[in-house]
Amino acid sequence: MSIKAALKSCLDTLAGLIKYTETTNYQQSLAVPTSSWATQLNRLRKWASDVGALEPGDASLDHVLREPSRPSLYAIRDHIPELLNSIEGMAKELIEDDIAAVEEKHEGRSDKPETLLEVLFGCIRSHVDSLEQYARHLPGSKTEWKRSSSVEYAVPADAQGSGSVEERGTDG
């Protein structure tokens, strides 16, 4: 499956999950409010825009990664659709199984540190984090990361040369 097709399906399913939480008896008091799901959807949309995942033809991420220039990009190319499919699968599970019912099934467990909803939300957030990290390594990404000693610098492609730099510390 292409990255573009996997992304479109994933975005549609996440949007459906948000609509589900807005139109059903989904309780805002549950561990994950609708706004948190919307934040993940917006992060995914921004990632898609930054890497050209929905662009047509030669500008598309699928085209750019068709013949990767570095061996590490092969793994990224293969893992991106897996992450997107996993996000979609978790969102579908929550919709199809009814979020409240999923929570009720696990309500009696005293050994659970988090609710199942929180765990699935954490997994989805982690997958989006991974996609954002991959953007650092993708050719043509709007944000390319430069490394200098123990500090990473984010340089937006449209601001390169303008002196606009965001500094992020690293471990090490």
Side-chain angles (χ1 to χ4, degrees):
M1 174 180 269
S2 72
I3 292 170
K4 186 176 190 174
L7 177 62
K8 283 181 175 182
S9 185
C10 182
L11 289 171
D12 288 346
T13 302
L14 271 178
L17 175 63
I18 292 166
K19 181 172 246 160
Y20 173 85
T21 65
E22 293 171 340
T23 60
T24 63
N25 59 359
Y26 179 80
Q27 307 268 335
Q28 290 299 320
S29 62
L30 285 175
V32 183
T34 299
S35 61
S36 294
W37 297 111
T39 297
Q40 297 315 304
L41 177 61
N42 289 333
R43 288 178 63 209
L44 192 55
R45 286 178 176 150
K46 181 176 182 335
W47 170 83
S49 173
D50 287 351
V51 300
L54 295 173
E55 295 295 323
D58 292 351
S60 73
L61 183 58
D62 284 310
H63 181 79
V64 168
L65 293 178
R66 186 186 67 218
E67 302 271 337
S69 58
R70 298 185 315 266
S72 61
L73 292 177
Y74 282 96
I76 291 173
R77 178 194 65 193
D78 295 341
H79 197 225
I80 288 173
E82 291 173 14
L83 288 170
L84 294 168
N85 290 333
S86 181
I87 292 169
E88 179 184 13
M90 287 182 274
K92 276 183 179 176
E93 180 181 340
L94 288 168
I95 294 168
E96 291 169 1
D97 290 350
D98 182 30
I99 295 170
V102 168
E103 283 302 294
E104 285 174 20
K105 280 194 277 188
H106 294 83
E107 196 67 34
R109 287 183 46 205
S110 60
D111 62 332
K112 64 180 175 80
E114 301 174 289
T115 66
L116 179 62
L117 186 62
E118 289 173 309
V119 170
L120 289 175
F121 176 79
C123 289
I124 289 173
R125 184 181 57 225
S126 176
H127 285 12
V128 176
D129 289 346
S130 294
L131 290 167
E132 289 175 340
Q133 291 297 317
Y134 284 161
R136 305 164 87 185
H137 305 285
L138 297 172
S141 175
K142 290 184 182 174
T143 300
E144 296 178 17
W145 292 80
K146 312 259 187 235
R147 187 184 263 307
S148 172
S149 64
S150 65
V151 177
E152 295 174 348
Y153 296 92
V155 184
D158 57 354
Q160 288 181 0
S162 69
S164 173
V165 175
E166 174 189 331
E167 182 178 313
R168 293 174 50 142
T170 60
D171 299 333

